[in-house]
Amino acid sequence: AINTATNTNTTTESKQNSLSNNPSIATSAMTDSNKANEDSSESSVQPAPFSKYVGPISFGVIMGGCAGVASKKLTKAVAGLVGVSFIGLQVLQHYGYIQVDWMKIQGDVEKSLDQDGDGKFDAKDVEILRQKYMAVLQQSIFAGSGFIAGFAAGFRWG
């Protein structure tokens, strides 16, 4: 097996040496290669009419994905902070250090989150908040559908 590998390497080296020692063969090979490149560039396919949008759409998808991942991380961080705060307040209340009026807190939070003015926080308010959030994120970004798709993917899998 070692002999065969040595013979194969010797044969390859002798072919390379014969090409490099004979300038006419090397020049002919280079000329044929250059002609093939010129022919292929002349007959290249014209870009599709929508290709000018591929860059902006890709940019929108990438920025949407990054914003989705960041939004998910931020949402988790805020939820964690609210949860830890709630636990802390409950512990302090349990041991008698403070008295918390949870009904007042609930009313104040619902009032601040109520977007349609009906006095309660419901699915309509969540949709209004989502639309406002996405409008801020999509401002001045071309290809909003690409951004939305990227955002959804980033939020889902980020």
Side-chain angles (χ1 to χ4, degrees), residues 91-146:
V91 168
L92 291 173
Q93 181 173 312
H94 177 75
Y95 287 109
Y97 291 105
I98 62 172
Q99 183 63 35
V100 179
D101 185 359
W102 288 113
M103 297 308 287
K104 178 162 178 35
I105 291 174
Q106 179 183 357
D108 291 345
V109 169
E110 281 185 3
K111 192 181 297 183
S112 67
L113 292 175
D114 182 29
Q115 299 294 305
D116 57 5
D118 64 356
K120 58 186 176 186
F121 180 66
D122 54 12
K124 292 177 190 174
D125 298 315
V126 172
E127 180 60 24
I128 293 169
L129 287 170
R130 187 195 66 78
Q131 288 175 355
K132 286 181 178 180
Y133 183 67
M134 292 303 288
V136 168
L137 292 180
Q138 288 179 319
Q139 182 176 356
S140 301
I141 292 196
F142 179 77
S145 60

Side-chain angles (χ1 to χ4, degrees), residues 44-55:
S44 65
V45 178
Q46 294 296 324
F50 58 84
S51 65
K52 64 183 177 183
Y53 302 113
V54 171

Side-chain angles (χ1 to χ4, degrees), residues 29-84:
M30 287 174 42
T31 306
D32 291 344
S33 172
N34 290 341
K35 284 181 184 176
N37 286 340
E38 288 173 9
D39 291 342
S40 67
S41 65
E42 288 175 8
S43 65
S44 65
V45 178
Q46 294 296 324
F50 58 84
S51 65
K52 64 183 177 183
Y53 302 113
V54 171
I57 290 173
S58 298
F59 179 76
V61 170
I62 291 169
M63 291 298 104
C66 292
V69 169
S71 295
K72 184 173 187 175
K73 303 286 184 196
L74 184 62
T75 302
K76 284 183 175 184
V78 169
L81 183 63
V82 169
V84 168

Side-chain angles (χ1 to χ4, degrees), residues 16-28:
Q16 289 174 347
N17 286 338
S18 68
L19 282 175
S20 62
N21 290 338
N22 190 345
S24 65
I25 293 175
T27 306
S28 173

